[in-house]
Amino acid sequence: MQHEIVKNPMGLIEFTLNKGEKIVAEAAAMVYIKGNIVTETRMRKGGFLKSLKAAAFGGESFFVNEFVAQDDNCKLGLTGNMLGDIEAIDVQEEYSVQSGAFVGSTADLTLDTKWQGFTKGIFGSNLFMLKTVGSGKIFVNGWGGITKTHLEPGEKMILDNYQLVALSSSAQYGVVKHGNLKTTLFGGEALVIEIVGPGTVYLQTKNIMEFVRAIVPFLPKRH
């Protein structure tokens, strides 16, 4: 299997699959198929309860599509639901992933949900996030560009509460207050994520909440 991200920042990834190779993708991620690929719709690995948790708490669809090549050199194009980059993450340890960011994965990797607790609700205000199970590649979508940063042991990084896309399990993190009351009221940085290495961080350059605030004044008003 080969893959190429052919269209960023609007996020399109093309796979070249040989006979028997497969990709698992979010239900609405398929853009095009070239060649003999069979599409099978199923629940996520782990059965009904895991699929239900991913849908109810993780922002993902209940069903996924499995694309299986029947011949060599088949092409599959996938995209995400966010206006931004698609990034391939090579998963060799558990990763925490932003709700709604999943586009697809190789067949040996699946997703579960993870309770964050009321004091550790990262990725915006979500109390649940996605976590990877197994190893392989996962393909994620973010708002704007996605950048990768590696933190050395003890090295700290502070992120806005809506900028994190994915984080390796080797890093420690927590939600902390940033600045003072004036910052909270006028600076828009009340809560932030403090990450301590070692670990790998994938962050997005745009903030969905700020995008929403920017377009609200231009929406038609109800009478």
Side-chain angles (χ1 to χ4, degrees), residues 123-199:
F123 306 150
S125 58
N126 291 342
L127 299 177
F128 287 86
M129 63 182 179
L130 301 172
K131 68 173 182 178
T132 60
V133 179
S135 60
K137 287 187 181 293
I138 186 172
F139 306 96
V140 296
N141 186 202
W143 288 98
I146 296 178
T147 64
K148 176 182 177 181
T149 299
H150 181 73
L151 298 179
E152 298 296 333
E155 186 177 8
K156 291 184 179 181
M157 183 179 191
I158 288 178
L159 286 181
D160 178 82
N161 210 27
Y162 289 92
Q163 306 300 141
L164 193 54
V165 175
L167 176 66
S168 65
S169 61
S170 56
Q172 302 296 313
Y173 66 87
V175 174
V176 298
K177 292 182 179 180
H178 180 67
N180 51 31
L181 180 60
K182 188 175 181 180
T183 304
T184 300
L185 293 176
F186 304 110
E189 305 292 346
L191 294 175
V192 296
I193 306 165
E194 184 178 79
I195 304 170
V196 182

Side-chain angles (χ1 to χ4, degrees), residues 104-127:
S105 67
T106 52
D108 293 335
L109 188 146
T110 188
L111 296 176
D112 200 352
T113 53
K114 186 175 182 180
W115 166 250
Q116 285 304 285
F118 291 104
T119 61
K120 224 179 183 185
I122 65 171
F123 306 150
S125 58
N126 291 342
L127 299 177

Side-chain angles (χ1 to χ4, degrees), residues 7-110:
K7 196 64 177 178
N8 272 338
M10 290 303 175
L12 176 67
I13 184 167
E14 182 181 86
F15 296 90
T16 301
L17 303 176
N18 290 326
K19 186 175 181 178
E21 294 182 328
K22 63 181 70 174
I23 289 291
V24 178
E26 190 67 1
M30 193 271 287
V31 177
Y32 62 84
I33 289 173
K34 294 170 65 179
N36 188 7
I37 293 178
V38 171
T39 304
E40 299 176 355
T41 300
R42 60 167 175 78
M43 289 187 295
R44 298 175 184 276
K45 284 185 177 179
F48 177 82
L49 290 179
K50 182 173 287 189
S51 296
L52 182 62
K53 285 199 303 177
F57 304 126
E60 304 301 319
S61 61
F62 185 85
F63 294 99
V64 292
N65 286 328
E66 189 171 79
F67 300 93
V68 186
Q70 305 301 300
D71 297 313
D72 290 344
N73 202 36
C74 295
K75 304 290 185 182
L76 170 67
L78 299 180
T79 192
N81 60 7
M82 302 183 192
L83 299 178
D85 285 356
I86 288 178
E87 184 75 22
I89 301 177
D90 187 15
V91 175
Q92 300 300 325
E93 61 176 304
E94 182 183 301
Y95 266 80
S96 301
V97 181
Q98 177 196 58
S99 297
F102 173 72
V103 176
S105 67
T106 52
D108 293 335
L109 188 146
T110 188

